[in-house]
Amino acid sequence: MSDHQGGGYYLPSPSGWPIVGSTALALFGVGMVLWVNSVAPGGWLVMAGLGVLFYMMFGWFGKVIAESESGKYNAQVDRSFRWGMSWFIFSEVMFFAAFFGALFYARVLSVPWLGEGDTGAILWSGFKSVWPTAGPLGAKMIAPMAEAGAGEFAPMAAWGVPALNTLLLLTSGVTLTIAHWGLKKGNRGQLILWLALTVALGVTFLYFQATEYHEAYTKLGLTLGAGIYGSTFFMLTGFHGFHVTIGTIMLIVILLRCMKGHFKPEQHFAFEAVSWYWHFVDVVWLGLFIFVYWL
Amino acid sequence: MEATHAIDHDHGHGHPTGLMRWVTTTNHKDIGTLYLWFSFIMLLTGGTLALLIRAELFQPGMQIMRPEFFNSLTTMHGLIMVFGAIMPAFVGFANWQVPMMIGAPDMAFPRMNNWSFWLLPVAASLLVGSFFVPGGASAGGWTMYAPLFLQGGISNDMTIFAVHILGISSIMGAINIVTTILNLRAPGMTLMKMPLFVWTWLITAYLLIAVMPVLAGAVTMLLTDRHFGTSFFNAAGGGDPVMFQHIFWFFGHPEVYIMILPAFGIISQIIPTFARKPLFGYASMVYATSSIAILSFIVWAHHMFTTGLPTAAQLFFMYATMLIAIPTGVKVFNWIATMWKGSMTFETPMLFAIAFVCLFTIGGFSGLVLAITPVDIQLQDTYYVVAHFHYVLVSGALYSIFAGVYFWLPKWTGNMYDEKLGKLHFWMSTIFFNILFFPMHFLGLAGMPRRIPDYALQFADWNMVATIGAFGFGLSQLILLVVVLKCIKGGVKAEGRAWEGADTLEWTHLPSPAPYHTFETPPTVK
Ligand code: HEM
Ligand SMILES: [Cu+2]
């Protein structure tokens, strides 16, 4: 095989990374099954699975980056990546949609049904269907952010840390865009400074979310086990926080790549992919802020 | 290799041989082959479970197994057939055919393509392995309904993680297919010139990306309800078990179209070929497929008519479901109109295609019957439903897979298959299929419940008939295995255009067997 010229679409040769990834998910899956059932080596297998997964991502993405930097990807390959990333984000949107759907279904339909009518009264006498609730047999709701005693929980108020976090994430969207302008103008200083700032905002967000969780568990009596409110609250904000973590790691990776001089003003798909992802995480947060914290 | 084709030169041209060829391959044809063989193995596995079910039901009374095991069998049969046999088979077809039909050098993301496949054996091992853990395999039905699924043992967690891994595989596979179709078409191959198989896969892949994550969300909620104290499906904590059904069927109904749209695509390639006429109403086929896909998002609660839905919701879902019959009818009409006054010949692919049109339509009609809310309240969870979905899935999805295998074997292997054996396979399958499933309509209408290992005496006769049909159908599939193996080994050499009526790129531009790399320089389509 000699050189590639003209409009050739880059086709990678056989690769061992996928099977490494399958091994990782096998270890992780079996490990999780054992771990949630408290069977001995479960935790270790999960760790091993994650370890192999990171090894794979390192190797696989490393190879892609090397191919990209050596100019193997033409404009058509670039377009493939764009389509791929867009559809991936769409799949993520649908994943969150399932949990938002659960939230709306509970709030608008099933919780009112529990308290309504004869059946509700017979089955759960005295249960008033309000939101937030931990359900007829769950903990009792008290005022937001109040100290909870045994058998009580306090919902999370919107206008403290969550509002601050909204501000942080929205700002990070702006800083990221300014960094992108820097990249397009070929102004490396602007690029790196504003990208670093974005990372810092992401990390701060995560720090605040951690303190919020800590407070929920230690003071508010608000846990995963606090009925349907606790379930939807932690699963939605938790998966979001997980995505922010991934987004932050991706931002750090492209920050390091920018510092190494990667990306060209006219071709920098990886940067754009990360920024799309970051904006997506941002938008999900707005949904959370409005429907989980505020309304 | 032409100079215009860029290939990774760290590794040169060759590819590893032996086992490592298949483990590391980035070639769409190799990966397609892997998918198809995997699917065939799963078909035999799921089929064996089905035969065990039918053996137990041969006569009333408990004969050969404990009821818990019977429940595991129905559950695993459903999961393995849906996620292990039907879906991977269609992805196998997509891998082999989509690049060749649109003039692309390969799939858009060849390495990810490999990963999509190699996740399947992991998931399948979790599923099949769950038979051997304490408590036995999942027994709550393939639909994994709460609260049943919240109870039960470690195997339910294995099922949950298997579903997660299958979901990752499907989503990556679908992203690959969408991207290939949208970005790798040869110059001149406009959207409205794409073969219908490619169209149906484009829409199927969209459905997959939209609903597999929802299924992932549903099983995640099951997992946290089981082990992390959440109350999504627990009324005492303010949740609702019916909510699981809503989320599941929001995935589930589009899922049944995921299993039938590529089938429509395959049939739409085969019928024009053997009728020697262009497909009647190409554009209307595209629009019908799209409308089916869109409508499939708003009909899910027809699986839930007996859960106490509000009347308004029952009416809405009843009418919405009936609406789907319109675009489906358009398709059936177009296939028949394609055959109308065509110069037809009846090779095995065409036989399966014609049987598809007849038998799938029976399944569509029984679906329409079930869509009528007051009728469904009678028939829900009876054998009538079992008859319905086997007419659409076996004589629909599976028949299209058989048809497609016979149709493209000459292109894949370079040899013609044994036509006599192929026809034998067809007639045996079709006769036994109807002996197996047609009586289930009667059983269901008479009130026999599904997923029950024992039954009242009045159902005995038709159950015995069905079991005879089942063993006949199951054994007939071994003929397919023989045909395929024989065809791989040799036979009459196939021409590039093995079927004179075939006019898509893989037939008009490529020799048989198709070379390992094809269309490295894209053809120009006029
Ligand atoms: C005209 C089109 C169709 C209509 C109107 C229709 C309608 C229905 C209805 C109303 C049910 C619920 C029955 C019940 O549980 O009481 C049902 C079940 C089912 N349908 Fe269809 N259907 C159609 C086509 C299809 C197709 C194309 C497939 C798959 C290829 C399919 C697969 C299934 C399956 C698997 C079930 C049973 C699920 C379960 O409970 O395990 N259907 N269908
Ligand atoms: Cu349905």
Side-chain angles (χ1 to χ4, degrees):
Chain A
M1 184 72 228
S2 55
D3 275 359
H4 40 89
Q5 318 152 350
Y9 191 88
Y10 178 75
L11 295 176
S13 59
S15 168
W17 290 117
I19 197 72
V20 176
S22 293
T23 314
L25 288 192
L27 287 169
F28 179 78
V30 173
M32 281 297 281
V33 168
L34 296 177
W35 180 62
V36 296
N37 289 288
S38 317
V39 180
W44 293 109
L45 288 182
V46 171
M47 307 272 270
L50 289 177
V52 178
L53 192 68
F54 284 129
Y55 169 68
M56 177 217 59
M57 298 219 283
F58 221 80
W60 190 333
F61 287 137
K63 187 139 180 27
V64 171
I65 291 170
E67 286 166 358
S68 165
E69 287 300 311
S70 61
K72 286 181 177 156
Y73 296 165
N74 63 8
Q76 197 184 12
V77 175
D78 199 65
R79 266 199 314 278
S80 281
F81 282 133
R82 276 159 208 281
W83 278 121
M85 189 68 191
S86 317
W87 287 102
F88 170 65
I89 290 177
F90 175 54
S91 80
E92 292 268 56
V93 169
M94 293 309 291
F95 181 75
F96 277 100
F99 288 89
F100 273 107
L103 173 69
F104 295 144
Y105 181 83
R107 283 185 69 160
V108 180
L109 298 172
S110 68
V111 167
W113 287 336
L114 280 179
E116 245 171 36
D118 298 345
T119 346
I122 293 163
L123 280 174
W124 322 104
S125 72
F127 172 66
K128 277 207 284 302
S129 55
V130 289
W131 187 266
T133 179
L137 301 185
K140 290 274 160 303
M141 188 193 36
I142 56 172
M145 308 309 283
E147 186 110 23
E152 293 177 336
F153 80 93
M156 190 62 74
W159 296 106
V161 173
L164 186 64
N165 264 349
T166 309
L167 203 67
L168 286 177
L169 270 197
L170 288 181
T171 315
S172 75
V174 177
T175 54
L176 185 56
T177 307
I178 298 177
H180 194 187
W181 289 343
L183 176 52
K184 283 209 258 194
K185 282 188 307 205
N187 184 341
R188 288 269 148 178
Q190 179 181 345
L191 164 65
I192 290 170
L193 174 69
W194 291 89
L195 194 52
L197 217 58
T198 314
V199 173
L201 287 166
V203 172
T204 318
F205 173 94
L206 286 171
Y207 168 76
F208 278 130
Q209 191 169 25
T211 58
E212 182 194 79
Y213 273 23
H214 182 74
E215 194 181 3
Y217 264 79
T218 53
K219 193 173 139 236
L220 307 182
L222 176 56
T223 66
L224 254 187
I228 187 69
Y229 176 67
S231 309
T232 49
F233 176 83
F234 280 105
M235 292 303 279
L236 274 162
T237 59
F239 270 119
H240 177 263
F242 174 64
H243 281 74
V244 176
T245 312
I246 297 192
T248 308
I249 294 172
M250 296 188 342
L251 283 171
I252 292 173
V253 171
I254 56 163
L255 176 61
L256 294 176
R257 288 186 62 188
C258 288
M259 283 156 62
K260 278 177 83 177
H262 288 189
F263 303 130
K264 296 194 223 44
E266 66 288 345
Q267 202 191 13
H268 46 261
F269 164 71
F271 184 99
E272 285 173 278
V274 174
S275 78
W276 294 349
Y277 193 80
W278 193 254
H279 291 311
F280 149 70
V281 170
D282 222 359
V283 172
V284 174
W285 176 261
L286 284 182
L288 290 181
F289 182 69
I290 295 171
F291 295 111
V292 176
Y293 290 98
W294 183 9
L295 296 181
Chain B
M1 244 172 255
E2 302 93 314
T4 49
H5 166 52
I7 204 167
D8 189 350
H9 27 188
D10 325 347
H11 297 75
H13 333 224
H15 52 72
T17 51
L19 181 65
M20 287 318 279
R21 163 177 174 191
W22 299 101
V23 173
T24 62
T25 181
T26 45
N27 178 288
H28 71 105
K29 301 188 183 77
D30 279 355
I31 296 173
T33 305
L34 285 169
Y35 265 108
L36 288 166
W37 276 113
F38 173 84
S39 144
F40 190 67
I41 293 167
M42 286 292 115
L43 181 72
L44 295 186
T45 312
T48 309
L49 305 186
L51 291 187
L52 287 172
I53 294 172
R54 283 317 316 173
E56 174 58 52
L57 294 174
F58 185 57
Q59 287 182 327
M62 297 306 298
Q63 315 289 340
I64 55 177
M65 60 185 72
R66 289 169 294 109
E68 304 84 22
F69 184 64
F70 182 91
N71 292 340
S72 293
L73 287 178
T74 53
T75 306
M76 284 296 131
H77 164 72
L79 286 168
I80 287 175
M81 286 305 199
V82 168
F83 293 106
I86 303 287
M87 290 168 69
F90 284 132
V91 184
F93 279 105
N95 259 293
W96 259 101
Q97 293 307 129
V98 166
M100 291 202 288
M101 291 172 116
I102 62 174
D106 204 299
M107 298 289 277
F109 305 110
R111 279 179 293 229
M112 188 169 84
N113 199 17
N114 173 302
W115 200 22
S116 304
F117 172 76
W118 279 106
L119 284 174
L120 293 181
V122 176
S125 313
L126 276 171
L127 278 182
V128 176
S130 72
F131 272 107
F132 305 100
V133 298
S138 293
W142 81 279
T143 47
M144 303 178 281
Y145 277 5
L148 214 47
F149 206 80
L150 299 180
Q151 306 149 13
I154 192 166
S155 58
N156 284 1
D157 301 310
M158 297 174 80
T159 303
I160 289 172
F161 282 99
V163 168
H164 270 306
I165 293 173
L166 290 162
I168 297 171
S169 158
S170 293
I171 293 170
M172 291 195 305
I175 290 177
N176 219 333
I177 293 169
V178 174
T179 304
T180 306
I181 298 174
L182 292 178
N183 194 35
L184 266 63
R185 297 195 309 280
M189 177 64 79
T190 58
L191 285 177
M192 290 310 272
K193 277 190 196 152
M194 291 195 311
L196 218 79
F197 176 70
V198 180
W199 254 114
T200 53
W201 243 116
L202 177 64
I203 293 166
T204 303
Y206 160 73
L207 287 179
L208 274 168
I209 301 171
V211 300
M212 288 310 286
V214 175
L215 176 65
V219 296
T220 303
M221 292 179 217
L222 285 176
L223 184 77
T224 57
D225 269 16
R226 279 169 61 80
H227 296 290
F228 299 95
T230 58
S231 308
F232 286 107
F233 310 129
N234 175 3
D240 184 355
V242 175
M243 178 160 87
F244 177 81
Q245 300 189 23
H246 280 291
I247 305 173
F248 179 86
W249 286 113
F250 184 83
F251 147 81
H253 191 82
E255 167 67 16
V256 309
Y257 284 98
I258 288 165
M259 294 189 284
I260 205 67
L261 294 184
F264 291 168
I266 293 174
I267 298 303
S268 304
Q269 301 302 136
I270 292 176
I271 289 184
T273 301
F274 294 95
R276 290 162 183 80
K277 268 178 65 193
L279 183 68
F280 182 89
Y282 171 90
S284 69
M285 285 298 220
V286 172
Y287 299 134
T289 313
S290 315
S291 17
I292 290 176
I294 291 162
L295 286 173
S296 75
F297 285 106
I298 55 160
V299 298
W300 75 88
H302 63 218
H303 297 272
M304 302 169 57
F305 283 144
T306 57
T307 56
L309 291 177
T311 313
Q314 296 197 331
L315 285 171
F316 172 80
F317 284 107
M318 171 168 88
Y319 289 126
T321 303
M322 291 177 165
L323 265 186
I324 292 203
I326 298 172
T328 313
V330 168
K331 287 185 166 275
V332 174
F333 178 84
N334 285 350
W335 290 320
I336 295 172
T338 306
M339 289 187 269
W340 185 257
K341 294 193 171 162
S343 20
M344 295 213 284
T345 50
F346 300 92
E347 289 85 347
T348 313
M350 185 62 163
L351 288 177
F352 273 110
I354 293 172
F356 173 101
V357 176
C358 302
L359 299 174
F360 170 79
T361 304
I362 296 181
F365 277 130
S366 60
L368 215 46
V369 171
L370 290 168
I372 307 166
T373 310
V375 175
D376 184 70
I377 289 170
Q378 299 286 312
L379 294 179
Q380 166 97 79
D381 270 333
T382 68
Y383 262 83
Y384 193 86
V385 177
V386 179
H388 158 65
F389 65 73
H390 284 95
Y391 267 82
V392 285
L393 283 173
V394 178
S395 56
L398 189 62
Y399 264 38
S400 81
I401 291 167
F402 290 161
V405 166
Y406 284 105
F407 184 55
W408 279 302
L409 262 179
K411 183 52 62 185
W412 298 342
T413 65
N415 303 318
M416 298 308 284
Y417 60 85
D418 184 331
E419 190 66 56
K420 271 218 187 72
L421 278 181
K423 288 204 164 104
L424 182 70
H425 175 224
F426 168 76
W427 285 111
M428 298 271 283
S429 295
T430 303
I431 291 166
F432 282 119
F433 168 83
N434 284 294
I435 296 177
L436 163 56
F437 289 113
F438 206 79
M440 291 189 186
H441 292 110
F442 314 146
L443 288 169
L445 289 167
M448 177 169 163
R450 65 188 278 210
R451 293 175 173 167
I452 303 276
D454 189 7
Y455 49 82
L457 280 180
Q458 74 264 31
F459 304 129
D461 293 350
W462 287 123
N463 269 295
M464 194 172 279
V465 171
T467 296
I468 293 169
F471 278 83
F473 185 80
L475 293 177
S476 309
Q477 302 323 309
L478 298 178
I479 306 174
L480 174 65
L481 181 62
V482 173
V483 174
V484 172
L485 290 178
K486 265 186 74 174
C487 185
I488 293 173
K489 276 186 71 182
V492 182
K493 291 278 155 271
E495 288 164 33
R497 194 171 189 166
W499 310 112
E500 56 168 350
D503 63 355
T504 42
L505 292 181
E506 82 276 30
W507 300 113
T508 54
H509 281 57
L510 298 175
S512 300
Y516 197 60
H517 292 290
T518 39
F519 294 134
E520 291 171 326
T521 331
T524 307
V525 180
K526 281 171 274 37

